[in-house]
């Protein structure tokens, strides 16, 4: 009986590792559709977000799945064996370091505190992804696949792409996995959610496909709406949708991304995506903390009122 239980546990662990590897590889192939530099650098790299989320949920035992997925992706696009190994190693070590930094900072997977949102941005995304960007760009430079003049532009695009993956994809996955089947939600609430989704998509397409960079701020009210009315779930979904539409527009070089070079477009895109992710993530965390505090105060007041009522003669 014990052996069967252990075998079942090991089987589940192996399947989980393989599932993480498959998700890493599949999202990497999707991310590469928007490749910018040597077919390996994208403005948003979803696998980093998946890797950090998987580590936060399953722990460090899941790292072989990340390594396997990273290796499978880079074998197909890497210039030679050594750079492939270096890039895959960087792509594995970076999320593990992000995970360790977040756990040391007492990060909550619910992302329901302002400190959690700040930790995810500064420790999980900006700090942790320095490793993958440095290892990957260095590997390309050492192999001769990248000229000396292209090192820092490639490094910056790689770093911001990996960081955006953590800032946009990780909170989405952490929040979505905790969503349960909604009960008692009326038609008005569903209608509001549908209106939010449609209007956010419409305005994002408008400002990224037609208008100029000066009108990108028009997306902000919808992000605020999502955070205040639907907290973390709404904010994470809106941030992911807005960032995806902006990346597609940058790939087509329309709207604010027309008539500009790669560097200018990347600065505009990553500034917009970064602002979108920060606004959604931080505001949703603040709103969640506020609502939780309000509910706790209301509960305490109710308990106090009941005690006073019971003591009255």
């Amino acid at each position: 009986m014990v052996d069967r239980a252990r075998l079942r546990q090991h089987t589940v662990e192996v399947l989980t590792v393989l599932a993480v590897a498959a998700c890493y590889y599949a999202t990497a192939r999707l991310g590469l559709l928007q490749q910018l530099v040597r077919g390996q650098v994208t403005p948003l790299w979803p696998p980093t977000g998946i890797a950090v989320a998987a580590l936060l949920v399953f722990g460090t035992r899941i790292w072989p799945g990340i390594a396997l997925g990273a290796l499978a992706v880079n074998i197909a696009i890497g210039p030679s064996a050594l750079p492939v190994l270096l890039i895959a190693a960087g792509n594995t070590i970076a999320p593990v370091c992000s995970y360790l930094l977040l756990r040391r900072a007492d990060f909550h997977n619910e992302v329901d505190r302002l400190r959690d949102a700040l930790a995810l941005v500064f420790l999980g995304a900006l700090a942790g992804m320095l490793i993958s960007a440095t290892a990957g760009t260095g590997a390309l430079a050492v192999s001769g696949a990248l000229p000396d003049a292209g090192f820092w532009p490639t490094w910056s695009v790689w770093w911001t792409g990996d960081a955006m993956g953590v800032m946009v994809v990780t909170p989405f996955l952490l929040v979505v996995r905790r969503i349960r089947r909604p009960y008692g939600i009326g038609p008005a609430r569903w209608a509001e959610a549908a209106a939010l989704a449609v209007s956010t998509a419409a305005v994002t397409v408008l400002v990224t496909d037609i208008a100029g960079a000066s009108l990108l701020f028009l997306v902000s009210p919808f992000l605020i709406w999502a955070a205040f009315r639907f907290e973390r779930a709404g904010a994470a979904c809106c941030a992911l949708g807005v960032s995806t539409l902006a990346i597609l527009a940058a790939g087509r070089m329309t709207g604010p991304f027309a008539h500009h070079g790669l560097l200018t477009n990347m600065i505009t895109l990553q500034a917009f995506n970064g602002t979108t992710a920060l606004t959604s993530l931080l505001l949703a965390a603040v709103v969640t903390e506020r609502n939780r505090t309000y509910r706790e105060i209301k509960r305490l007041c109710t308990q106090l009122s009941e005690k006073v009522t019971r003591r009255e003669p």
Side-chain angles (χ1 to χ4, degrees), residues 92-114:
T92 304
I93 296 172
V96 171
C97 288
S98 294
Y99 164 78
L100 295 176
L101 288 172
L102 290 172
R103 282 292 173 247
R104 188 168 183 81
D106 190 30
F107 177 81
H108 287 182
N109 287 0
E110 294 80 7
V111 200
D112 57 353
R113 304 175 302 175
L114 179 59

Side-chain angles (χ1 to χ4, degrees), residues 16-69:
T16 304
V17 167
L18 293 177
V20 169
C23 291
Y24 190 105
Y25 180 82
T27 55
R29 300 306 300 180
L30 289 175
L32 288 172
L33 295 177
Q34 294 297 318
Q35 55 189 297
L36 296 176
V37 181
R38 258 201 63 82
Q40 293 171 304
V41 186
T42 67
L44 189 150
W45 189 240
T48 58
I50 290 176
V52 173
L55 287 164
L56 289 169
V57 173
F58 301 108
T60 52
R61 68 178 184 275
I62 209 68
W63 75 263
I66 300 171
L68 183 61

Side-chain angles (χ1 to χ4, degrees), residues 271-290:
F272 176 69
N273 283 345
T275 302
T276 297
L278 279 173
T279 300
S280 303
L281 192 59
L282 299 184
L283 185 57
V286 170
V287 171
T288 301
E289 276 194 303
R290 184 204 66 174

Side-chain angles (χ1 to χ4, degrees), residues 238-251:
C238 278
L240 180 61
V242 168
S243 296
T244 300
L245 292 173
I247 291 170
L248 293 175

Side-chain angles (χ1 to χ4, degrees), residues 220-294:
S220 297
F222 298 93
L223 301 175
I224 296 172
W225 178 9
F228 269 96
R229 294 291 294 160
F230 299 94
E231 295 187 9
R232 293 158 295 164
C237 291
C238 278
L240 180 61
V242 168
S243 296
T244 300
L245 292 173
I247 291 170
L248 293 175
R252 295 191 299 269
M253 299 186 70
T254 59
F257 309 106
H259 314 300
H260 298 292
L262 174 62
L263 181 59
T264 301
N265 282 342
M266 280 302 305
I267 292 174
T268 302
L269 176 63
Q270 299 299 43
F272 176 69
N273 283 345
T275 302
T276 297
L278 279 173
T279 300
S280 303
L281 192 59
L282 299 184
L283 185 57
V286 170
V287 171
T288 301
E289 276 194 303
R290 184 204 66 174
N291 291 343
R292 184 173 61 249
T293 302
Y294 172 78

Side-chain angles (χ1 to χ4, degrees), residues 57-277:
V57 173
F58 301 108
T60 52
R61 68 178 184 275
I62 209 68
W63 75 263
I66 300 171
L68 183 61
L71 189 61
V73 172
N74 286 286
I75 284 176
I77 61 178
S80 59
L82 180 59
V84 164
L85 292 176
L86 290 175
I87 294 172
N91 289 345
T92 304
I93 296 172
V96 171
C97 288
S98 294
Y99 164 78
L100 295 176
L101 288 172
L102 290 172
R103 282 292 173 247
R104 188 168 183 81
D106 190 30
F107 177 81
H108 287 182
N109 287 0
E110 294 80 7
V111 200
D112 57 353
R113 304 175 302 175
L114 179 59
R115 62 175 294 179
D116 297 326
L118 291 172
L120 186 62
V121 171
F122 291 101
L123 298 179
L126 299 182
M129 295 306 117
L130 291 170
I131 297 172
S132 57
T134 303
T137 310
L140 292 178
V142 169
S143 66
L146 187 67
D148 293 340
F151 182 88
W152 288 113
T154 302
W155 183 91
S156 61
V157 173
W158 198 311
W159 176 55
T160 54
D162 282 0
M164 285 299 116
V166 177
M167 292 172 61
V168 174
V169 178
T170 298
F172 173 79
L173 295 175
L174 292 177
V175 169
V176 167
R177 69 179 287 268
R178 293 185 174 275
I179 294 179
R180 300 293 181 264
R181 184 177 178 180
Y183 293 98
I185 297 180
R189 188 69 166 172
W190 285 110
E192 182 183 1
L196 172 62
V198 172
S199 57
T200 302
V203 171
T204 303
V205 170
L206 175 66
V207 299
T208 57
D209 272 2
I210 301 173
S214 60
L215 294 181
L216 290 175
F217 72 92
L218 291 176
V219 176
S220 297
F222 298 93
L223 301 175
I224 296 172
W225 178 9
F228 269 96
R229 294 291 294 160
F230 299 94
E231 295 187 9
R232 293 158 295 164
C237 291
C238 278
L240 180 61
V242 168
S243 296
T244 300
L245 292 173
I247 291 170
L248 293 175
R252 295 191 299 269
M253 299 186 70
T254 59
F257 309 106
H259 314 300
H260 298 292
L262 174 62
L263 181 59
T264 301
N265 282 342
M266 280 302 305
I267 292 174
T268 302
L269 176 63
Q270 299 299 43
F272 176 69
N273 283 345
T275 302
T276 297

